[in-house]
Amino acid sequence: MQAPKRIYESKYKPWIELQGKAIVGEGRANLLRAIRDLSSIAKAAKKLNVPYRTAWAQLKRIEAAVGTPIVKTYRGGAKGGGGARLTEEGARVLREYEKYERYLGSLANDADFWEALDMKLSTRNRIRGVIEGIEKGEVAASVRINISTPAVITAVITKDAVDDLELKVGEEVEAVIKATEVMVSKFEK
């Protein structure tokens, strides 16, 4: 049975938090990207059409939330030469936001995901087992799962999925079988 055709668009407004305090949403992420790309807070503010003071206030809010500087500034002189760059923590905050943004974007645009929301999995689609081996390639990874029935299932998933799930040999996982794919899920402890 096919899921009904979607007539509405999916929209989302991602942000990341630390201990309940908002750190970065779309506007602040755009500011960090512009500083990274232009090496200047003034140029970043101009590009985003926000007052320079507002840009600085946003940066100070992020720093207050994370408790460490996120931008390193360099003074110019009579001949210029000043600028700014993201600190290691500033780059980490932006990477975390972009990773989350990509994930939400991929879900919002994934027809299979929306179709799966209307489906129910039967127990025959899920098989528990223990990881017997992991082979990582440049993009994909092969995860061999030894199941209690005398058989081993091999799932080919992305290397990022192996890292995101923090898969380790000897861990108990579940093989989720969908049509021609074998996916991997992990139990939260």
Side-chain angles (χ1 to χ4, degrees):
M1 183 171 102
Q2 193 169 6
K5 185 172 168 60
R6 294 181 63 224
I7 58 172
Y8 302 107
E9 267 186 68
S10 303
K11 295 292 178 190
Y12 57 93
K13 214 170 177 167
W15 69 87
I16 58 173
E17 296 181 350
L18 177 65
Q19 298 171 346
K21 291 182 184 177
I23 300 171
V24 175
E26 183 181 10
R28 291 178 184 175
N30 287 338
L31 177 60
L32 293 177
R33 284 183 192 114
I35 292 169
R36 176 194 63 201
D37 297 344
L38 301 171
S39 301
S40 165
I41 297 170
K43 289 176 183 174
K46 185 175 181 178
K47 176 184 178 184
L48 298 173
N49 201 25
V50 295
Y52 179 74
R53 276 184 113 131
T54 301
W56 260 113
Q58 293 301 325
L59 295 172
K60 292 299 174 194
R61 286 187 181 108
I62 298 169
E63 288 179 349
V66 299
T68 188
I70 56 154
V71 174
K72 169 79 174 150
T73 58
Y74 302 94
R75 287 204 166 155
K79 297 180 181 180
R85 68 171 175 78
L86 298 181
T87 63
E88 189 175 312
E89 189 61 26
R92 182 185 352 262
V93 166
L94 183 57
R95 274 193 314 274
E96 283 296 314
Y97 176 83
E98 289 176 335
K99 182 178 177 182
Y100 184 50
E101 184 180 49
R102 279 191 308 275
Y103 173 72
L104 290 178
S106 70
L107 285 181
N109 296 312
D110 184 352
D112 290 337
F113 170 77
W114 289 101
E115 185 177 327
L117 289 177
D118 290 330
M119 288 186 217
K120 294 199 185 288
L121 289 175
S122 69
T123 55
R124 67 179 178 266
N125 294 60
R126 304 172 80 87
I127 302 168
R128 288 182 184 239
V130 175
I131 295 175
E132 188 177 89
I134 299 172
E135 293 177 32
K136 292 183 186 180
E138 296 246 347
V139 176
S142 176
V143 180
R144 286 186 320 282
I145 304 167
N146 190 348
I147 59 176
S148 57
T149 308
V152 173
I153 297 172
T154 299
V156 177
I157 60 177
T158 65
K159 188 170 88 171
D160 287 344
V162 170
D163 294 338
D164 289 345
L165 288 169
E166 299 175 359
L167 298 179
K168 293 173 187 61
V169 173
E171 257 186 329
E172 186 173 312
V173 294
E174 200 170 58
V176 180
I177 300 168
K178 175 187 167 208
T180 60
E181 301 173 13
V182 177
M183 299 177 280
V184 177
S185 74
K186 185 174 175 181
F187 307 101
E188 293 298 321
K189 294 179 181 170

